[in-house]
Amino acid sequence: MNESRVRELVDEALLENESLFLIDLSISSDNKIKVTVDGDHGVPLSECVRISRNVEHNLDRESEDFSLEVTTPDISRPLSEMRQYKKNIDRILKVKTQEEEFEGTLIEADDNNIILKWKTREPKPIGKGKVTVEKTATIAYTNIKEAKVKIVF
């Protein structure tokens, strides 16, 4: 299976809806094509169907048999694209860097960094007891080993 041809067909379908973007494209040795797409405002099922049809109708099953799956990212899957961070502003993220782990609300995502905010209890500077303080962390994308959206019920 020609991966560049499949990628070209997926990109062609994605051009019709600029809010969608490719997360992953894989083709196994037995021609199982898996396309994972995400969107700035989610991905309706109709868009997955449209992308699938665009790929499927432009490949020849007679010359090469294949199976095709167009899906959205699993919620347990780490964020991998900058646009995924931007769409998850105001959600709680668990972020691992080389040195530390953070858990906080994503309040900003620009081209280079994300900013997390959270509250924690710390000892009072003077006297006994604890006080609630608000903390923030600015983390560069290059320092992020893994970031996942925390599901809160």
Side-chain angles (χ1 to χ4, degrees):
M1 182 61 59
N2 184 342
E3 184 173 340
S4 63
R5 175 68 179 140
V6 174
R7 184 173 297 275
E8 183 181 297
L9 292 170
V10 170
D11 289 342
E12 182 181 283
L14 291 175
L15 284 174
E16 291 181 30
N17 184 343
E18 292 182 6
S19 73
L20 301 180
F21 51 96
L22 182 66
I23 297 295
D24 190 32
L25 170 69
S26 62
I27 302 174
S28 68
S29 59
D30 57 346
N31 286 342
K32 287 184 180 177
I33 304 168
K34 183 169 183 182
V35 179
T36 306
V37 295
D38 203 349
D40 295 327
H41 310 290
V43 183
L45 180 60
S46 60
E47 286 298 295
C48 290
V49 170
R50 186 183 60 76
I51 294 165
S52 176
R53 285 184 179 151
N54 191 66
V55 173
E56 189 170 3
H57 292 167
N58 289 293
L59 294 177
D60 184 13
R61 281 194 190 273
E62 298 298 321
S63 64
E64 210 166 9
D65 193 29
F66 63 90
S67 66
L68 174 63
E69 177 183 356
V70 178
T71 184
T72 57
D74 184 307
I75 194 70
S76 64
R77 184 178 177 154
L79 303 180
S80 60
E81 298 288 324
M82 187 184 316
R83 286 174 74 174
Q84 288 181 295
Y85 288 93
K86 290 180 179 181
K87 84 173 227 175
N88 283 296
I89 289 177
D90 293 328
R91 288 198 168 151
I92 298 172
L93 295 187
K94 286 184 172 185
V95 179
K96 293 180 185 176
T97 66
Q98 206 65 292
E99 305 82 32
E100 299 180 72
E101 289 188 22
F102 300 92
E103 184 175 311
T105 303
L106 178 63
I107 58 170
E108 189 177 322
D110 62 24
D111 292 342
N112 302 308
N113 306 298
I114 63 169
I115 299 175
L116 294 179
K117 177 176 74 173
W118 68 95
K119 292 181 180 178
T120 186
R121 301 276 292 162
E122 292 185 349
K124 287 183 180 178
I126 300 173
K128 294 181 180 182
K130 292 188 174 190
V131 63
T132 301
V133 293
E134 191 169 272
K135 295 200 168 205
T136 61
T138 301
I139 307 166
Y141 291 115
T142 54
N143 292 339
I144 297 174
K145 284 179 55 181
E146 181 181 87
K148 291 184 177 183
V149 176
K150 182 177 178 184
I151 307 305
V152 180
F153 293 98

